[in-house]
Amino acid sequence: MAEKIISDKVLCYIVRDERLLVFRHVDYSYEEVGIQVPAGTVKQGEDPASAALREAREETGLSQFAIVRELGTVDYDTTPYRPEIQRRHVFQLSLGEDTPDRWASQEDNDGTGQPIRFECFWIPLEHGHVLQSGQGALLWRLFEK
């Protein structure tokens, strides 16, 4: 078995009116990629909070995000998908602009020259258990006083 690499990632819990902002990949099935929150890699020299704001903007097409608080860090082993442990820095973000219930977005920087297409939408917080690959691991922190 290959040695596992550790990579720094961010997850963004964007909450409004007891709802969580999620997305699905338009070009892949739910079985392949599920429902996700904005997330991604912390670039070299970038702090996790800045990475969270950048990823939220890139994946949703929106811009008026603010960090509410850091909820913690959790490790996620991506085996058998790849030999990687993701050190996930989880943030709660607020959004200062209106959105429709659903909208299309895309991200152009996957390195293939093809855009990654998303459908963004809001789900009730209590449905957060549907998030793929352990992305809901710290949702419970949103309910702490």
Side-chain angles (χ1 to χ4, degrees):
M1 178 187 275
E3 185 174 331
K4 294 183 182 180
I5 61 167
I6 297 176
S7 60
D8 278 311
K9 303 287 185 175
V10 292
L11 293 179
C12 305
Y13 295 162
I14 302 160
V15 180
R16 175 189 280 161
D17 300 327
E18 301 297 314
R19 297 182 305 157
L20 179 67
L21 180 57
V22 297
F23 67 85
R24 70 177 189 88
H25 286 262
V26 174
D27 298 315
Y28 298 93
S29 70
Y30 286 109
E31 292 85 1
E32 291 177 275
V33 295
I35 301 287
Q36 302 178 40
V37 294
T41 301
V42 178
K43 294 179 180 179
Q44 188 169 1
E46 185 178 40
D47 67 273
S50 296
L53 293 169
R54 177 182 50 76
E55 288 292 344
R57 288 190 302 267
E58 288 176 355
E59 294 182 355
T60 66
L62 304 173
S63 61
Q64 297 179 25
F65 293 103
I67 301 287
V68 174
R69 61 185 167 144
E70 184 170 3
L71 298 171
T73 303
V74 62
D75 286 350
Y76 183 78
D77 189 332
T78 64
T79 305
Y81 176 61
R82 71 177 87 157
E84 175 184 32
I85 295 174
Q86 295 181 350
R87 179 141 304 135
R88 295 174 170 179
H89 305 269
V90 184
F91 292 88
Q92 179 183 356
L93 276 61
S94 63
L95 176 61
E97 59 192 286
D98 291 331
T99 68
D101 288 337
R102 290 180 178 267
W103 68 96
S105 182
Q106 69 180 34
E107 183 176 18
D108 297 316
N109 63 349
D110 72 343
T112 66
Q114 296 295 317
I116 304 170
R117 299 183 314 140
F118 306 119
E119 177 187 29
C120 300
F121 54 100
W122 297 92
I123 63 171
L125 274 174
E126 64 266 19
H127 295 170
H129 64 278
V130 303
L131 293 174
Q132 67 94 32
S133 301
Q135 286 192 345
L138 294 183
L139 276 175
W140 63 272
R141 298 281 323 268
L142 294 173
F143 299 96
E144 291 183 324
K145 299 291 180 197

